[in-house]
Each structure stands twice: as structure tokens, then as C-alpha cells.
Amino acid sequence: WSIKSKNLSSLLGDKQKLYDDYISGCIKKVSETRGPAVAKNSPECHLGENDRIYQAQFQPMSMRNYTEVGYTKIRAPEKVFNKIVDYWNKHNKENVTEWHRINSYHNMWESPPSIINLQNKSLEGGGGELMAEIWDSARDLLEEWTGQSLVGCS
């Protein structure tokens, strides 16, 4: 749900309370970790929220859609898909919290985001070789879709 203002309509119920509780949760988490004095004017919650709202308003119009709806759905190549499924089956209990930093972009204080990193070389089957295989299998499809020559990054 994209909130583009700190003042919400009551058209769909009391969304203002939901939003205010969300921001209060962020401030409470900052208070617990960095102290009440910092939480009062917390840059994580207040300035971060201003940035998030700005981004919600202006980022969508700067994006280029390559299809009418902005994405397409295809099947992953079976060989690579099977490797990813095998990796998941071996390591799905070895997830780690992905994001520890408090901000208003996501509710990490109630639901910490976790990940099983495919790039983790210490987990059997993970690392650069798996990542290269995923990228190589996707590159041709993505280049055809976008009409551009692509180079891997991140």
C-alpha cells in the first residue's frame, strides 16, 4: 500500500490510526535501541518517512515499463530452477536477518526480514557459481524483453 501523505483519508476505515501506530512502532524501536532523546526527532522514522513519501510520489513516474503492466511472468529455466529449489531444501532453516537498520520503509521491528543468501559460499551449493548460472540463464531472456544489451551487476 503506497502512502503518499502523512494525513490519510478515512474512506476505507481508520487508516490514519494504522499509519500513526506504524510510525509510533518505529519511534518505539529507536527509543529501545538508541534512547528516548534520539527517538523524539528520530531521523530513521521522521526524515526517513519524508524520503519514503517523496519516493512513493515521484519514483513511479521515472520508471520505464517494458510491458503494458510493467512486468512479465515466465518460467525459470528448469535446470537453474531445480538448483535453486535444491539449495532452498538444504538451507531453508539457515536464514539470517537481512536488515537490522531501523527505518520507515519496512516494519523490521515487528517482522524482521530474513534471507537465505544464494551468494553465501559457506552454504553448500551457494556462491558465485550458482549466481553466475542464474544470471547467464536470465540474461538472454532479459535482453530480448528489454531490447538492450545487459551487463550483470550487484
Side-chain angles (χ1 to χ4, degrees):
W1 120 73
S2 180
I3 296 177
K4 297 178 181 175
S5 168
K6 292 180 180 182
N7 301 308
L8 305 179
S9 165
S10 61
L11 184 64
L12 297 173
D14 194 359
K15 298 299 180 196
Q16 187 67 51
K17 180 176 179 355
L18 182 67
Y19 175 76
D20 292 344
D21 289 349
Y22 178 77
I23 296 300
S24 292
C26 182
I27 293 166
K28 180 180 177 194
K29 184 65 176 179
V30 171
S31 181
E32 290 169 1
T33 57
R34 297 186 55 212
V38 174
K40 182 179 179 188
N41 295 307
S42 132
E44 296 89 345
C45 303
H46 299 295
L47 294 177
E49 183 62 0
N50 292 340
D51 290 343
R52 191 202 59 74
I53 288 172
Y54 178 85
Q55 199 170 31
Q57 290 173 334
F58 296 104
Q59 186 179 33
M61 67 182 74
S62 72
M63 304 310 298
R64 176 175 175 202
N65 289 340
Y66 292 99
T67 66
E68 188 175 318
V69 293
Y71 62 92
T72 192
K73 186 176 174 180
I74 61 170
R75 288 196 172 278
E78 190 171 345
K79 179 181 171 190
V80 174
F81 179 77
N82 289 337
K83 282 189 172 194
I84 294 169
V85 169
D86 288 344
Y87 187 83
W88 167 261
N89 288 334
K90 286 178 188 169
H91 304 296
N92 66 40
K93 303 281 189 255
E94 300 176 57
N95 60 318
V96 294
T97 300
E98 179 183 23
W99 198 323
H100 299 276
R101 189 168 167 230
I102 301 167
N103 65 49
S104 67
Y105 282 75
H106 62 83
N107 188 343
M108 58 72 64
W109 52 93
E110 286 183 12
S111 182
S114 64
I115 185 172
I116 302 165
N117 193 339
L118 294 170
Q119 297 175 354
N120 187 342
K121 293 181 234 177
S122 70
L123 296 178
E124 180 189 341
E129 190 176 312
L130 177 59
M131 296 307 296
E133 218 172 316
I134 292 169
W135 167 247
D136 290 342
S137 72
R139 183 181 36 241
D140 292 341
L141 295 168
L142 292 170
E143 286 181 347
E144 181 183 331
W145 182 47
T146 62
Q148 298 179 31
S149 179
L150 301 174
V151 177
C153 66
S154 331

